[in-house]
Amino acid sequence: MTEKRMSRWYFGGLASCGAACCTHPLDLIKVHLQTQQKVEKRMLGMAIHVVKSDGVLALYSGLSASLCRQMSYSLTRFAIYETVRDMLGSTGQGPMPFYQKVLLGAFGGFTGGFVGSPADMVNVRMQNDMKLQPELRRNYKHAIDGFYRVFREEGVRRLFSGATMASSRGALVTVGQLACYDQAKQLVLGTGLMGDNILTHFVSSSIAGGCATFLCQPLDVLKTRLMSSKGEYTGVRHCLTETAKLGPLAFYKGLVPAGIRLIPHTVLTFIFLEQLKKYFGIRIIS
C-alpha cells in the first residue's frame, strides 16, 4: 500500500497569504513603478523614496487588502484547480494532459480574478495612496474600511472597476503558476534525478513564476492603471490606447520588480502549499 496526501480546498489561500506577507513590499514598489506616467525612478530608487517619505512600515501599506485579496482570489483559483485536478486524477488514468491543465487553470484564474477584484482594487489604492498629495489621498484605514467607502461613495459597480483586466490577468497568471508548476514538477520527477522534496518544489515553482510573470505583465499594467485612476480613463480600450502611446515597452513597465515579486511569491506559495499538504492534507491510501 502507498500513501499520498491531497490538498484541502482552502490550502491555496493560506499558502498565498503566507507568501504575501513576505513579498508585499515588492508588490507595493511594483505598483508605484507601474503608475508612473514617466520613468522617474527605478526599483531601488522607489524603495528608498518610500522609506524616506513615509518610513519603513510604509512598505507594508495595504497589507490587509493584500491578505483579503489572497483569501478571495487565490483561494478561489486554487480551490477550483486542485479540486478538479485531484478529482480527475482519482480515476486512475494518470496525470492530466498539459492542455487540460492550461484550460482548467485559465477557468480557475478567471473566476478567482473576478471574485478578488474588489480586494485587488482596494489593495492597489492603498499602496498608491502615499504617492498622492495629502489632499488627494483616500486614507483607507484598512481593507474593510476601503470596501465600505468605495461602496458608499462610488457605488457597487466601482468595486469591480478593472474586473475584466483582473479576470484576464488571473487566467494568465494561473496558467503560468499552477499549470506550469504541475507540468514542471511532473517533468522534474520524471527525470529520476530528484525526489518529491523542497528542492524539486523550488525548481518547479521558479519555472512557473517566470512563465507567469511574462504572460501577465501587460494585463497587470493595464489593471493597475485602471484601478488606481481617478477618472482619467473611460474604459479598458481608452487605457490601452493611452498606454500604447508611451510605446510597446510601457506594457512591460515594472517587469523586473514584477518578476522579483512574483517569482519569490510563487516559490513561497508552492513551498508553503506542499508543506501544508504534507502535514495536514487528506490521506489517500492506495
Side-chain angles (χ1 to χ4, degrees), residues 119-130:
D120 200 5
M121 186 193 70
V122 173
N123 180 37
V124 168
R125 286 187 171 188
M126 290 178 72
Q127 290 177 348
N128 197 51
D129 219 26
M130 67 184 70

Side-chain angles (χ1 to χ4, degrees), residues 65-214:
S66 180
L67 295 179
C68 283
R69 176 176 180 266
Q70 298 303 335
M71 289 305 291
S72 53
Y73 160 65
S74 287
L75 188 147
T76 301
R77 67 194 183 107
F78 270 92
I80 291 173
Y81 183 87
E82 298 211 314
T83 300
V84 176
R85 181 201 62 190
D86 292 343
M87 188 184 303
L88 295 177
S90 64
T91 59
Q93 297 178 352
M96 292 172 61
F98 182 58
Y99 79 91
Q100 290 185 3
K101 295 175 184 175
V102 169
L103 293 175
L104 180 57
F107 174 73
F110 189 88
T111 306
F114 181 80
V115 171
S117 286
D120 200 5
M121 186 193 70
V122 173
N123 180 37
V124 168
R125 286 187 171 188
M126 290 178 72
Q127 290 177 348
N128 197 51
D129 219 26
M130 67 184 70
K131 285 178 62 180
L132 304 175
Q133 297 297 323
E135 64 274 10
L136 297 177
R137 294 182 181 180
R138 296 180 174 97
N139 294 318
Y140 298 151
K141 297 175 184 177
H142 43 71
I144 305 301
D145 179 54
F147 295 142
Y148 174 71
R149 285 183 52 191
V150 173
F151 174 75
R152 186 187 64 186
E153 298 168 8
E154 303 174 60
V156 68
R157 289 187 63 182
R158 187 60 176 170
L159 282 170
F160 289 90
S161 171
T164 303
M165 287 293 106
S167 297
S168 301
R169 177 192 178 276
L172 290 175
V173 78
T174 304
V175 168
Q177 284 184 326
L178 277 69
C180 290
Y181 174 78
D182 272 355
Q183 194 67 21
K185 182 180 175 183
Q186 182 181 326
L187 292 173
V188 170
L189 291 175
T191 64
L193 299 175
M194 291 190 286
D196 191 357
N197 51 38
I198 288 185
L199 180 59
T200 297
H201 305 156
F202 176 82
V203 172
S204 303
S205 56
S206 297
I207 295 170
C211 293
T213 303
F214 182 78

Side-chain angles (χ1 to χ4, degrees), residues 252-266:
Y252 282 91
K253 186 181 288 185
L255 178 64
V256 172
I260 292 174
R261 176 257 170 187
L262 188 55
I263 293 173
H265 185 275
T266 304

